[in-house]
Amino acid sequence: MWTKYHKAYLTDGCWSPIRPAVFFTTKMDGTLDIWDIIFKQNDPTLSLQVCDEPLHSLRVQEQGRLIATGSHSGTTTLLELSDSLCTLQRNEKNLVSAIFERETRREKILDSRHREMKLKERTKSSQEKEQTEEEYEEENLVKKAEEDFFYEIEQEMKSREKKEAARKEKEDMDKTDKGKASPVHEEREDSGNKEDGSKEE
């Protein structure tokens, strides 16, 4: 249960000694508000402009019919209420008790919902944090796998280049060896040629 916003500050208030549903408030703009929560809860049932200066105090007669208000300058104003505002209505106590119990239950429900929303927000934030960490770890794993993959490819290429270089070097050496004639073989060939020449003579 709440009221509308008022520009003027509240200065005093009190309950009616006769009617449980009625209470009175005074404000800085010199207004006296009379509230009947059974009839209306968001706005006052009656508003009276008592004076043009702030009202600071408020007192109600024991019979509930007269109200005295005190202003900033010390002026006291005595007001008389109508019979409906100072006469106990039928089942008024039960109705007021039911209103207060309803509002109490509503406040408890709102409080539990508020706590539930806070808990959901905390759970959501923790889940988002965990999800972010998991995504970060997954990105790191993917990055590491890519680095390992390219490293293996680079090592394989280097190994192949080394093998190719060794093969070419071996081929070059074989060609060089084949290009060189053996001295013993040459001497034999020379001696053979000489013998052939002597025979011919």
Side-chain angles (χ1 to χ4, degrees), residues 147-162:
E147 290 176 355
D148 293 341
F149 175 72
F150 288 119
Y151 177 76
E152 292 293 334
I153 291 176
E154 186 178 356
Q155 294 298 318
E156 183 68 21
M157 290 176 67
K158 286 181 180 180
S159 177
R160 287 183 180 181
E161 288 176 358
K162 287 180 180 179

Side-chain angles (χ1 to χ4, degrees), residues 80-140:
E80 184 178 2
L81 300 177
S82 62
D83 293 338
S84 61
L85 291 173
C86 58
T87 303
L88 184 65
Q89 304 296 318
R90 182 183 296 179
N91 294 327
E92 184 172 353
K93 290 182 179 179
N94 294 332
L95 291 173
V96 172
S97 297
I99 290 173
F100 288 153
E101 288 176 2
R102 182 193 67 195
E103 292 299 320
T104 302
R105 287 196 302 270
R106 189 167 72 92
E107 286 183 3
K108 288 181 179 179
I109 292 171
L110 290 175
D111 186 43
S112 63
R113 285 183 180 176
H114 183 63
R115 278 184 283 181
E116 184 179 351
M117 288 175 66
K118 278 189 174 181
L119 182 61
K120 284 183 179 180
E121 288 178 358
R122 290 177 185 174
T123 306
K124 186 178 179 181
S125 61
S126 63
Q127 287 178 352
E128 288 178 353
K129 186 178 179 181
E130 290 176 358
Q131 185 177 359
T132 304
E133 290 177 354
E134 289 177 358
E135 290 177 354
Y136 180 73
E137 290 178 359
E138 186 176 353
E139 288 178 359
N140 287 340

Side-chain angles (χ1 to χ4, degrees), residues 24-115:
F24 314 95
T25 58
T26 55
K27 296 186 293 186
M28 289 291 290
D29 59 358
T31 303
L32 169 68
D33 290 335
I34 302 173
W35 300 77
D36 187 347
I37 58 176
I38 294 177
F39 177 69
K40 193 186 294 185
Q41 297 178 1
N42 296 327
D43 294 304
T45 305
L46 180 64
S47 291
L48 299 174
Q49 186 70 41
V50 179
C51 59
D52 295 331
E53 58 183 351
L55 292 175
H56 289 297
S57 59
L58 171 68
R59 293 294 181 273
V60 183
Q61 183 193 24
E62 291 183 1
Q63 288 76 22
R65 181 172 289 275
L66 300 176
I67 299 176
T69 60
S71 67
H72 180 71
S73 62
T75 303
T76 301
T77 305
L78 192 63
L79 303 169
E80 184 178 2
L81 300 177
S82 62
D83 293 338
S84 61
L85 291 173
C86 58
T87 303
L88 184 65
Q89 304 296 318
R90 182 183 296 179
N91 294 327
E92 184 172 353
K93 290 182 179 179
N94 294 332
L95 291 173
V96 172
S97 297
I99 290 173
F100 288 153
E101 288 176 2
R102 182 193 67 195
E103 292 299 320
T104 302
R105 287 196 302 270
R106 189 167 72 92
E107 286 183 3
K108 288 181 179 179
I109 292 171
L110 290 175
D111 186 43
S112 63
R113 285 183 180 176
H114 183 63
R115 278 184 283 181

